[in-house]
Amino acid sequence: MDRIYLDYAATAPVLPEVLDAMMPFFISRYGNPSGIHGTGRDAHKAVEEARRRTAAVLGAESREICFTSGGSESDNLAIQGTAFALREKGNHLITSRIEHHAVLNTCRWLEKQGFRVTYLPVDADGTVSPDAVRDAITPETVLVSIMTANNEIGTVEPVGEIGRICREKGVLFHTDAVQAAGMLPLRADGMNADLISLSAHKFHGPKGTGALYIRKGTRLDALIHGGSQERGLRAGTENVPGIVGLGKAIEIAEAERTANAERIRELRDLLIRRIRGAVPDVKLNGHPERRLPNNCHFSFAGVESEALLLRLDLAGIAASGGSACTSGSMEPSHVLKATGLEEELMKGSIRLTLGRETTAEEIEKTAQVLPEIVKDLRAMRGLQEKSDCFQKKDS
């Protein structure tokens, strides 16, 4: 069997149809969209068609879409752009403790610039309370930023209700929807969102391309200064092939979303049942029901995630860990910390995320291999602990 890829939350392969749409803009239709000649106008037309396609998925107008280099830039533009544009109104922002680092580190940087940030807690399933958002809003609050769905544990947040509260309070609402695109409906009005971040490579588009939905009338300061591209919000020659790829990918993702999500959800639930049935002392992290259709996040007692991931890789299965490498040392995930998960379980956490190409055969293979690896690693740990105990006695 070929290698099994279960890390779609990290990135997804570019679809052949998407690559086909992009290729002419590398070779024959290579114009600068700012050019007034035919070649430039052709490129400009392609960018605007991608803008239209992206807007259609969000139920938005084309002029409300700004293309960026990806989710991180979209988050930065939304958060920094709002904070500085509305600084005369107030200097307070609200987010959660489980946001992507593109949000958290931007907020921490803003604190150094004199802004105040409230980092809301979550419950054991990783859910942000809308009431907590309401209680945290002050007259100085200019922005609330809560992700649509968590990139690690898959919990889907009540963004529609949070957005409604923000609208009632006259506060802008931003949501990082990077993980949700292609899996959940993302209608701006339904989410009551003023700003929505997207990244193409999460829904089978190219890396290095993203988009930010900006509700008309929303004030933002630009991050990148120069020319007048993207209505003055992002200077620099547009990445035409990437933008074309994003537009094609998001159109396909939306057209196939319902069928794909249902099929993937069934495979996800199968994997969860099989692992829970075969492995003792395992915990499914995230909300048991309100979770992304493709997300499984497990914690295995008595196992180190790094060893588990290496063994899975040797078995031909690609997954990702529940911890991130920071400054050369393994630090527990900030998401799992925020949910209050015990340290022992945090150490043995892995994320398995399914995608468009995942098959039932791959899930069956993973469900056979993973329990055996966990059993083996636990046995090895038991032997090591016995050895350590004997060494202590001898000393």
Side-chain angles (χ1 to χ4, degrees), residues 137-375:
I137 293 174
T138 75
E140 289 75 40
T141 306
V142 295
L143 180 71
V144 172
S145 179
I146 303 293
M147 65 200 333
T148 307
N150 186 261
N151 55 298
E152 189 169 329
I153 60 176
T155 297
V156 177
E157 301 295 344
V159 291
E161 187 175 355
I162 291 171
R164 179 180 56 78
I165 291 169
C166 292
R167 189 147 297 171
E168 290 173 356
K169 298 285 188 178
V171 174
L172 292 179
F173 176 51
H174 165 249
T175 185
D176 179 334
V178 165
Q179 287 295 331
M183 289 291 154
L184 302 176
L186 297 179
R187 306 294 284 186
D189 285 343
M191 301 165 79
N192 294 305
D194 301 292
L195 300 143
I196 302 173
S197 297
L198 300 172
S199 184
H201 75 104
K202 304 295 187 177
F203 48 86
H204 297 277
K207 297 177 181 67
T209 310
L212 179 65
Y213 161 78
I214 308 167
R215 186 180 295 276
K216 58 184 176 183
T218 302
R219 289 172 53 197
L220 288 183
D221 278 5
L223 296 183
I224 302 173
H225 302 278
S228 60
Q229 293 90 347
E230 297 303 298
R231 302 188 315 282
L233 286 174
R234 188 183 192 273
T237 302
E238 295 91 341
N239 173 9
V240 179
I243 289 170
V244 169
L246 185 153
K248 183 68 172 179
I250 200 167
E251 185 175 63
I252 294 172
E254 180 62 14
E256 300 179 352
R257 175 176 55 79
T258 301
N260 274 340
E262 183 56 35
R263 185 189 72 85
I264 291 168
R265 184 183 291 109
E266 290 178 0
L267 293 178
R268 178 205 68 184
D269 291 345
L270 172 62
L271 181 58
I272 290 173
R273 289 195 303 271
R274 291 287 302 275
I275 297 302
R276 281 175 153 176
V279 182
D281 300 321
V282 60
K283 182 181 185 303
L284 177 69
N285 298 307
H287 197 281
E289 297 170 356
R290 293 197 313 272
R291 67 186 304 119
L292 288 171
N294 68 333
N295 179 286
C296 305
H297 194 285
F298 296 109
S299 288
F300 300 95
V303 173
E304 296 287 339
S305 62
E306 295 76 31
L308 180 52
L309 290 169
L310 287 171
R311 288 286 298 272
L312 283 170
D313 190 44
L314 288 172
I317 301 171
S320 61
S323 58
C325 188
T326 305
S327 300
S329 63
M330 296 307 297
E331 295 292 337
S333 157
H334 70 284
V335 174
L336 297 181
K337 276 185 175 181
T339 65
L341 190 67
E342 306 95 297
E343 185 175 354
E344 173 69 13
L345 289 175
M346 281 196 284
K347 291 179 180 178
S349 300
I350 66 167
R351 181 185 69 183
L352 303 167
T353 45
L354 292 64
R356 194 173 186 268
E357 291 80 13
T358 304
T359 66
E361 291 76 18
E362 291 176 332
I363 294 303
E364 288 291 346
K365 176 69 173 179
T366 302
Q368 294 170 12
V369 169
L370 181 54
E372 291 300 317
I373 292 175
V374 172
K375 182 179 179 180

